[in-house]
Amino acid sequence: MAFAPSSTTSGIHLPDTARDLVKILVAGPFGVGKTTLIDSVSEIRPLHTEEPLSEASAQVDDLAGVRDKSTTTVAVDFGRISLSGGVVLYLFGTPGQERFRALWDDIAYGALGALVLVDSRRIDASFDVLGLVEDSGLPYAVAFNAFPDAPRHHTEEQLRGALDLEAGTPMVTCDARDADSSVDALLALVQHLIDRNAPEDAR
């Protein structure tokens, strides 16, 4: 794929080469690494709406597998990345908890696609988010965030089957802490969007 991070952007202003502005959702369950991914790739200072987890929230949020997490996104994360070819991605990270579902429609409005982060240690935590994305009709790609203690023995076929993904849905592995790895995951989604919108005879 021809896209690569642009080195022409500085500060908060869009590069002069910006041609296609694309809204992308970064979705996934609580604690999967959405904020971390946006932090790792954003060329501007990311916007976060994080608050400390409280005893009250612990009663309604499933902390299984993320006991060390001390904060949570309560509205949206936002970042921006410019790619070569004049493509600029506006990244909107969505809250992962059920109690914030009312925000989903507002955040998803105008998005062209979604990158869904999955934790292979707790695959079932992703089902509700995948259902939301599919119900919205958004094309999406799945990225397994490579946590250090994540199991490595699952095959691609097993993971795809566990998530009940269609054959054409991109599925990649990334490290949300690493900019290059996170950009590669975003590029898999961008390529998927390009392929879906290409004329039939060009596919």
Side-chain angles (χ1 to χ4, degrees), residues 91-157:
L91 306 175
F92 289 77
T94 63
Q97 297 101 302
E98 173 67 26
R99 61 193 170 105
F100 295 119
R101 179 171 288 208
L103 294 172
W104 174 265
D105 288 341
D106 289 336
I107 297 174
Y109 181 79
L112 293 189
L115 180 67
V116 180
L117 287 180
V118 175
D119 182 348
S120 60
R121 301 169 303 177
R122 48 191 187 101
I123 289 178
D124 57 344
S126 300
F127 294 160
D128 286 346
V129 174
L130 282 168
L132 274 176
V133 174
E134 290 175 350
D135 289 346
S136 72
L138 285 175
Y140 65 94
V142 168
F144 282 88
N145 193 7
F147 288 94
D149 59 342
R152 311 291 181 189
H153 58 276
H154 298 307
T155 66
E156 178 177 341
E157 182 178 346

XYZ file of all heavy atoms in Angstrom, residues 91-157:
521
model
N -9.276 10.623 14.181
C -9.497 9.423 14.979
C -10.337 9.751 16.209
O -9.964 10.597 17.023
C -8.159 8.827 15.420
C -7.163 8.531 14.294
C -5.838 8.062 14.884
C -7.722 7.507 13.320
N -11.464 9.077 16.340
C -12.368 9.266 17.471
C -12.426 7.967 18.268
O -12.960 6.964 17.780
C -13.767 9.646 16.988
C -13.875 11.034 16.428
C -13.414 11.336 15.159
C -14.436 12.057 17.184
C -13.508 12.618 14.631
C -14.541 13.343 16.676
C -14.066 13.628 15.401
N -11.865 7.994 19.463
C -11.930 6.830 20.332
C -13.223 6.823 21.119
O -13.600 7.823 21.740
N -13.918 5.699 21.087
C -15.221 5.591 21.742
C -15.083 4.932 23.110
O -14.245 4.055 23.295
C -16.183 4.752 20.890
O -15.665 3.420 20.769
C -16.345 5.353 19.501
N -15.905 5.328 24.088
C -15.882 4.647 25.391
C -16.256 3.177 25.222
O -17.076 2.826 24.359
C -16.941 5.390 26.211
C -17.142 6.692 25.514
C -16.892 6.420 24.067
N -15.668 2.327 26.064
C -15.884 0.895 25.890
C -16.938 0.288 26.786
O -17.238 -0.895 26.666
N -17.515 1.058 27.692
C -18.458 0.481 28.640
C -19.900 0.627 28.169
O -20.267 1.592 27.498
C -18.323 1.133 30.018
C -16.976 0.915 30.665
C -16.105 2.129 30.509
O -15.831 2.562 29.397
N -15.674 2.691 31.632
N -20.711 -0.308 28.584
C -22.132 -0.325 28.230
C -22.832 0.959 28.658
O -23.702 1.472 27.950
C -22.798 -1.535 28.900
C -24.309 -1.593 28.758
C -24.768 -1.821 27.334
O -24.010 -2.411 26.545
O -25.906 -1.406 27.011
N -22.420 1.521 29.797
C -23.125 2.702 30.321
C -22.943 3.937 29.448
O -23.659 4.918 29.607
C -22.697 2.995 31.764
C -21.220 3.293 31.953
C -20.865 3.257 33.438
N -19.432 3.314 33.678
C -18.797 4.392 34.122
N -19.479 5.503 34.348
N -17.504 4.356 34.347
N -21.985 3.910 28.510
C -21.773 5.044 27.622
C -22.342 4.804 26.219
O -22.045 5.542 25.289
C -20.279 5.363 27.514
C -19.665 5.823 28.808
C -18.635 5.106 29.384
C -20.118 6.960 29.442
C -18.065 5.522 30.574
C -19.559 7.391 30.633
C -18.532 6.662 31.202
N -23.162 3.787 26.075
C -23.685 3.445 24.750
C -24.488 4.591 24.138
O -24.529 4.740 22.918
C -24.557 2.193 24.837
C -25.152 1.785 23.503
C -25.841 0.433 23.562
N -24.873 -0.641 23.680
C -25.107 -1.883 23.228
N -26.245 -2.171 22.648
N -24.194 -2.815 23.365
N -25.118 5.416 24.967
C -25.926 6.525 24.439
C -25.091 7.493 23.613
O -25.621 8.224 22.770
C -26.609 7.260 25.582
N -23.770 7.515 23.833
C -22.894 8.406 23.071
C -22.570 7.866 21.683
O -22.074 8.600 20.829
C -21.569 8.607 23.826
C -21.618 9.341 25.159
C -20.255 9.259 25.837
C -21.996 10.798 24.936
N -22.819 6.585 21.482
C -22.329 5.925 20.277
C -22.799 6.590 18.993
O -22.002 6.901 18.104
C -22.737 4.451 20.292
C -22.384 3.759 19.009
C -23.185 3.559 17.923
C -21.108 3.207 18.653
N -22.511 2.903 16.928
C -21.233 2.685 17.357
C -19.889 3.102 19.324
C -20.170 2.055 16.713
C -18.837 2.482 18.676
C -18.980 1.969 17.386
N -24.103 6.815 18.866
C -24.647 7.378 17.629
C -24.045 8.742 17.321
O -23.749 9.053 16.163
C -26.174 7.488 17.704
C -26.850 6.136 17.628
O -26.204 5.176 17.163
O -28.019 6.033 18.027
N -23.868 9.564 18.360
C -23.302 10.894 18.144
C -21.848 10.814 17.684
O -21.428 11.522 16.765
C -23.384 11.731 19.425
C -24.804 12.138 19.762
O -25.641 12.189 18.836
O -25.086 12.400 20.941
N -21.069 9.947 18.323
C -19.655 9.836 17.959
C -19.507 9.191 16.589
O -18.639 9.570 15.795
C -18.891 9.026 19.019
C -18.940 9.750 20.367
C -17.438 8.813 18.594
C -18.342 8.951 21.510
N -20.362 8.219 16.263
C -20.237 7.490 15.002
C -20.741 8.286 13.802
O -20.404 7.957 12.656
C -21.006 6.170 15.098
N -21.511 9.333 14.030
C -22.100 10.082 12.923
C -21.005 10.625 11.998
O -20.076 11.293 12.433
C -22.941 11.242 13.465
C -23.611 12.050 12.375
C -24.766 11.583 11.759
C -23.084 13.267 11.960
C -25.384 12.312 10.756
C -23.690 14.014 10.968
C -24.849 13.524 10.364
O -25.444 14.246 9.365
N -21.121 10.319 10.720
C -20.187 10.817 9.723
C -18.925 10.002 9.565
O -18.089 10.310 8.702
N -18.747 8.948 10.372
C -17.554 8.108 10.245
C -17.642 7.252 8.985
O -18.727 6.830 8.577
C -17.392 7.222 11.468
N -16.497 7.002 8.376
C -16.449 6.140 7.184
C -16.085 4.710 7.520
O -16.296 3.805 6.704
C -15.448 6.696 6.167
C -15.799 8.030 5.519
C -14.824 8.335 4.394
C -17.230 8.031 4.998
N -15.521 4.489 8.698
C -15.132 3.139 9.067
C -14.673 3.094 10.508
O -14.580 4.128 11.181
N -14.377 1.886 10.985
C -13.960 1.706 12.376
C -12.820 0.704 12.452
O -12.816 -0.313 11.733
C -15.130 1.231 13.233
N -11.866 1.008 13.307
C -10.842 0.041 13.689
C -11.252 -0.491 15.054
O -11.321 0.272 16.023
C -9.461 0.692 13.757
C -8.312 -0.246 14.147
C -8.071 -1.276 13.046
C -7.040 0.539 14.440
N -11.548 -1.785 15.120
C -12.002 -2.400 16.366
C -10.821 -3.119 17.005
O -10.285 -4.079 16.446
C -13.159 -3.391 16.120
C -13.613 -4.003 17.444
C -14.330 -2.685 15.431
N -10.409 -2.647 18.185
C -9.335 -3.295 18.921
C -9.907 -4.439 19.753
O -10.968 -4.308 20.366
C -8.634 -2.301 19.844
C -7.735 -1.255 19.190
C -7.116 -0.360 20.252
C -6.646 -1.902 18.368
N -9.160 -5.553 19.764
C -9.588 -6.752 20.486
C -8.433 -7.228 21.365
O -7.268 -7.156 20.963
C -10.001 -7.867 19.500
C -10.331 -9.158 20.241
C -11.201 -7.421 18.662
N -8.775 -7.698 22.544
C -7.815 -8.302 23.466
C -8.029 -9.803 23.412
O -9.091 -10.299 23.811
C -8.067 -7.752 24.874
C -7.086 -8.279 25.913
O -6.350 -9.240 25.624
O -7.067 -7.723 27.033
N -7.034 -10.548 22.915
C -7.220 -11.991 22.737
C -7.314 -12.727 24.070
O -7.698 -13.907 24.097
C -6.067 -12.579 21.906
O -4.817 -12.368 22.541
N -7.004 -12.070 25.187
C -7.165 -12.694 26.502
C -8.624 -12.702 26.948
O -8.993 -13.460 27.856
C -6.326 -11.941 27.543
C -4.845 -11.879 27.247
C -4.149 -10.907 28.180
N -4.730 -9.568 28.089
C -4.347 -8.545 28.847
N -3.397 -8.714 29.752
N -4.914 -7.350 28.707
N -9.435 -11.856 26.329
C -10.855 -11.740 26.702
C -11.667 -11.374 25.452
O -12.264 -10.305 25.373
C -11.046 -10.732 27.831
C -10.340 -9.414 27.642
C -10.313 -8.539 28.879
N -9.759 -7.245 28.569
C -10.469 -6.134 28.359
N -11.789 -6.165 28.455
N -9.877 -5.000 28.064
N -11.669 -12.295 24.506
C -12.316 -12.063 23.221
C -13.798 -11.762 23.388
O -14.356 -10.908 22.677
C -12.104 -13.278 22.291
C -10.631 -13.320 21.849
C -13.027 -13.223 21.074
C -10.286 -14.501 20.975
N -14.439 -12.432 24.348
C -15.886 -12.232 24.507
C -16.241 -10.797 24.892
O -17.375 -10.355 24.675
C -16.462 -13.211 25.525
C -15.792 -13.121 26.891
O -14.691 -12.527 26.981
O -16.356 -13.650 27.867
N -15.292 -10.038 25.432
C -15.562 -8.642 25.794
C -15.782 -7.774 24.565
O -16.294 -6.656 24.681
C -14.399 -8.085 26.619
N -15.410 -8.272 23.385
C -15.525 -7.487 22.151
C -16.856 -7.672 21.433
O -17.147 -6.932 20.493
C -14.391 -7.862 21.185
O -13.134 -7.617 21.758
N -17.654 -8.645 21.846
C -18.863 -8.964 21.092
C -19.838 -7.795 21.016
O -20.407 -7.513 19.955
C -19.561 -10.187 21.697
C -18.772 -11.466 21.591
C -19.047 -12.540 22.418
C -17.749 -11.594 20.660
C -18.324 -13.719 22.321
C -17.018 -12.771 20.554
C -17.312 -13.835 21.394
N -20.053 -7.100 22.139
C -21.023 -6.004 22.136
C -20.575 -4.875 21.206
O -21.392 -4.303 20.471
C -21.219 -5.457 23.553
C -22.046 -6.379 24.434
O -22.684 -7.300 23.881
O -22.047 -6.176 25.659
N -19.284 -4.539 21.235
C -18.781 -3.460 20.381
C -18.876 -3.853 18.916
O -19.288 -3.048 18.067
C -17.331 -3.099 20.758
C -16.766 -2.085 19.788
C -17.284 -2.544 22.172
N -18.503 -5.087 18.602
C -18.628 -5.547 17.216
C -20.079 -5.490 16.761
O -20.373 -5.129 15.614
C -18.082 -6.970 17.080
C -16.563 -7.091 17.027
C -16.142 -8.549 17.185
C -16.015 -6.522 15.718
N -21.005 -5.832 17.666
C -22.415 -5.745 17.328
C -22.840 -4.322 17.027
O -23.591 -4.068 16.072
N -22.352 -3.367 17.822
C -22.670 -1.961 17.576
C -22.144 -1.504 16.220
O -22.850 -0.826 15.461
C -22.043 -1.088 18.665
C -22.818 -0.864 19.951
C -21.974 -0.051 20.927
C -24.128 -0.153 19.672
N -20.900 -1.864 15.916
C -20.301 -1.454 14.648
C -21.072 -2.059 13.480
O -21.382 -1.385 12.486
C -18.818 -1.862 14.596
C -18.220 -1.573 13.222
C -18.022 -1.120 15.668
N -21.396 -3.336 13.577
C -22.118 -3.990 12.494
C -23.522 -3.420 12.343
O -23.998 -3.223 11.216
C -22.155 -5.504 12.742
C -20.780 -6.144 12.581
C -20.775 -7.621 12.931
O -21.795 -8.115 13.479
O -19.756 -8.281 12.671
N -24.190 -3.142 13.450
C -25.538 -2.563 13.384
C -25.518 -1.186 12.736
O -26.486 -0.775 12.094
C -26.158 -2.470 14.778
C -26.538 -3.824 15.351
O -26.575 -4.806 14.583
O -26.775 -3.908 16.572
N -24.416 -0.464 12.914
C -24.310 0.873 12.336
C -24.036 0.830 10.838
O -24.161 1.848 10.154
C -23.200 1.661 13.027
O -21.924 1.170 12.654
N -23.647 -0.349 10.332
C -23.345 -0.482 8.910
C -21.955 -0.003 8.524
O -21.630 0.049 7.333
N -21.121 0.334 9.514
C -19.777 0.814 9.210
C -18.872 -0.344 8.796
O -18.828 -1.379 9.471
C -19.155 1.486 10.437
C -19.639 2.873 10.825
C -18.991 3.291 12.143
C -19.316 3.872 9.735
N -18.120 -0.178 7.704
C -17.077 -1.163 7.415
C -15.998 -1.061 8.486
O -15.756 0.020 9.039
C -16.552 -0.742 6.036
C -16.989 0.656 5.842
C -18.194 0.889 6.697
N -15.349 -2.179 8.780
C -14.381 -2.150 9.865
C -13.262 -3.159 9.635
O -13.377 -4.086 8.822
C -15.060 -2.412 11.210
C -15.673 -3.788 11.372
C -14.951 -4.824 11.977
C -16.975 -4.055 10.943
C -15.512 -6.078 12.140
C -17.541 -5.302 11.099
C -16.807 -6.315 11.702
O -17.364 -7.558 11.853
N -12.175 -2.930 10.353
C -11.081 -3.882 10.438
C -10.890 -4.214 11.912
O -11.200 -3.403 12.791
C -9.797 -3.303 9.846
N -10.372 -5.396 12.184
C -10.117 -5.844 13.553
C -8.615 -5.889 13.777
O -7.870 -6.423 12.953
C -10.745 -7.228 13.807
C -10.235 -7.825 15.123
C -12.267 -7.128 13.830
N -8.174 -5.311 14.902
C -6.757 -5.346 15.272
C -6.631 -5.958 16.663
O -7.198 -5.432 17.625
C -6.159 -3.945 15.245
N -5.926 -7.065 16.757
C -5.640 -7.675 18.056
C -4.465 -6.934 18.687
O -3.360 -6.931 18.138
C -5.312 -9.160 17.896
C -6.514 -10.020 17.703
C -7.022 -10.247 16.441
C -7.152 -10.596 18.791
C -8.142 -11.040 16.255
C -8.275 -11.389 18.622
C -8.775 -11.606 17.349
N -4.718 -6.282 19.820
C -3.663 -5.560 20.514
C -2.760 -6.568 21.209
O -3.229 -7.387 22.002
C -4.258 -4.579 21.525
C -3.242 -3.589 22.050
O -2.110 -3.535 21.582
N -3.646 -2.799 23.029
N -1.477 -6.514 20.923
C -0.530 -7.532 21.385
C -0.073 -7.255 22.808
O 1.033 -6.749 23.036
C 0.664 -7.594 20.436
N -0.913 -7.576 23.788
C -0.508 -7.455 25.181
C 0.592 -8.483 25.478
O 0.596 -9.579 24.901
C -1.709 -7.682 26.101
C -2.705 -6.555 26.090
C -3.812 -6.589 25.249
C -2.532 -5.456 26.916
C -4.734 -5.552 25.237
C -3.450 -4.412 26.913
C -4.544 -4.459 26.072
N 1.530 -8.150 26.364
C 2.661 -9.052 26.608
C 2.259 -10.467 27.023
O 2.930 -11.433 26.660
C 3.431 -8.339 27.734
C 3.089 -6.904 27.581
C 1.656 -6.882 27.109
N 1.165 -10.598 27.778
C 0.756 -11.925 28.248
C -0.384 -12.517 27.422
O -1.028 -13.476 27.843
C 0.350 -11.865 29.722
C -0.805 -10.895 29.983
O -1.054 -10.030 29.111
O -1.443 -11.007 31.045
N -0.615 -11.948 26.222
C -1.679 -12.481 25.359
C -1.280 -13.857 24.834
O -0.106 -14.100 24.534
C -1.935 -11.530 24.198
N -2.235 -14.775 24.717
C -1.913 -16.103 24.181
C -1.453 -16.023 22.734
O -1.951 -15.207 21.963
C -3.245 -16.868 24.303
C -4.296 -15.804 24.389
C -3.655 -14.631 25.062
N -0.491 -16.849 22.361
C 0.083 -16.819 21.017
C -0.264 -18.069 20.204
O 0.141 -18.185 19.059
C 1.617 -16.714 21.094
C 2.143 -15.636 22.015
C 1.859 -14.266 21.496
N 2.399 -13.235 22.397
C 2.152 -11.954 22.272
N 1.364 -11.523 21.293
N 2.665 -11.078 23.120
N -1.003 -19.000 20.791
C -1.208 -20.289 20.132
C -2.425 -20.321 19.214
O -2.616 -21.290 18.487
C -1.346 -21.396 21.187
C -2.468 -21.163 22.155
N -2.327 -20.366 23.279
C -3.758 -21.606 22.167
C -3.473 -20.338 23.945
N -4.353 -21.074 23.290
N -3.262 -19.277 19.226
C -4.452 -19.276 18.386
C -4.060 -19.021 16.927
O -3.215 -18.176 16.631
C -5.446 -18.200 18.825
C -5.961 -18.390 20.211
N -6.534 -19.555 20.649
C -5.989 -17.540 21.286
C -6.900 -19.423 21.910
N -6.571 -18.218 22.317
N -4.693 -19.748 16.025
C -4.473 -19.502 14.601
C -5.382 -18.380 14.136
O -6.357 -18.015 14.806
C -4.765 -20.755 13.770
O -6.176 -21.052 13.866
C -3.961 -21.954 14.268
N -5.052 -17.807 12.970
C -5.908 -16.765 12.406
C -7.317 -17.294 12.183
O -8.308 -16.594 12.441
C -5.326 -16.260 11.085
C -6.189 -15.196 10.424
C -5.578 -14.637 9.149
O -4.359 -14.785 8.957
O -6.344 -14.060 8.349
N -7.418 -18.524 11.725
C -8.741 -19.118 11.481
C -9.537 -19.231 12.775
O -10.743 -18.962 12.809
C -8.567 -20.493 10.840
C -9.878 -21.180 10.494
C -9.676 -22.529 9.819
O -8.536 -22.801 9.393
O -10.640 -23.297 9.731
